[in-house]
Amino acid sequence: MKSVGKTGFLTGLPELLILRLLQDQEMYGYEIVQAIAQRSGGVVTPGEAVVYPLLRTLERDGDLKSRPEPADGRTRVYYALTSKGVRRLFDQTDQWTRVAKAIQQALR
Amino acid sequence: MKSVGKTGFLTGLPELLILRLLQDQEMYGYEIVQAIAQRSGGVVTPGEAVVYPLLRTLERDGDLKSRPEPADGRTRVYYALTSKGVRRLFDQTDQWTRVAKAIQQALR
DNA sequence: TCTCTATACCTTGGTATTCAAGGTATTATA
DNA sequence: TATAATACCTTGAATACCAAGGTATAGAGA
């Protein structure tokens, strides 16, 4: 009874979108939350309860690195892709493309 | 604290694929399991632990109706789409299309 | 002044979805 | 005789996700 526990075939979309956003520029969490909703046309809208923990997980895995920066008395935590993160982005993107093609095919 | 509990943006892919298969012809569970893997090019391969319960859920919801048929001493349970199920198929397909477009867009 | 909104971080509790790994029973194949 | 294929099924666990909260600062409006 090993049980690796994957939840879905294309879960991890929030992750993919985060990685993609960070490819263009470093961003802080709150900004990312807004940006995803906007960039996905409101179709995919992971909230803060999804994004904040995900960012920390990605950093723990070495895909992101963070840098706190004070702004207006608040503190922003900026995240940037590492080279590992870039690879992960490419992998995830490929994965997505494969799945999307397969489904497209299957639905015809 | 309502908590409706959706797991993903594109979970429910097995469901969509099942509905799509049944649009063409009625099928029994075991057959569906094989067919999905084949039809999706091996990318999406929900096992029996996913498909069997799903079929019963869909039937309970009125999207499918079932018909047992003895074959070779075994018993096959054939499933067919109801008109409600057809509508569900269309809805899910639209949903998928919207998500796929949005992600495509976001990844560019 | 007081309140409300926006920003920016965070957590808790709960649920649906999916998977690995089993189990039963029959028939066909080696 | 054993193994594989067919055909149904379940259990237990992991995970991803969401709703709904909470803290604290700054600015705008009443």
Side-chain angles (χ1 to χ4, degrees), chain B residues 13-67:
Chain B
L13 251 192
E15 180 186 306
L16 173 55
L17 293 174
I18 288 173
L19 294 172
R20 179 60 186 84
L21 283 170
L22 293 177
Q23 189 186 24
D24 292 342
Q25 59 199 291
E26 69 172 3
M27 288 196 195
Y28 56 96
Y30 190 83
E31 192 185 12
I32 292 177
V33 173
Q34 324 294 325
I36 292 181
Q38 200 209 338
R39 180 138 180 169
S40 80
V43 175
V44 182
T45 55
E48 306 181 9
V50 172
V51 171
Y52 288 129
L54 233 179
L55 287 170
R56 289 194 302 267
T57 300
L58 286 169
E59 178 167 31
R60 191 169 356 101
D61 291 354
D63 296 307
L64 304 181
K65 55 183 187 308
S66 71
R67 173 178 70 78

Side-chain angles (χ1 to χ4, degrees), chain A residues 98-108, chain B residues 17 20 38-41 96:
Chain A
R98 273 202 313 280
V99 172
K101 275 211 181 80
I103 304 304
Q104 178 98 5
Q105 183 80 3
L107 291 184
R108 255 195 309 112
Chain B
L17 293 174
R20 179 60 186 84
Q38 200 209 338
R39 180 138 180 169
S40 80
W96 162 259

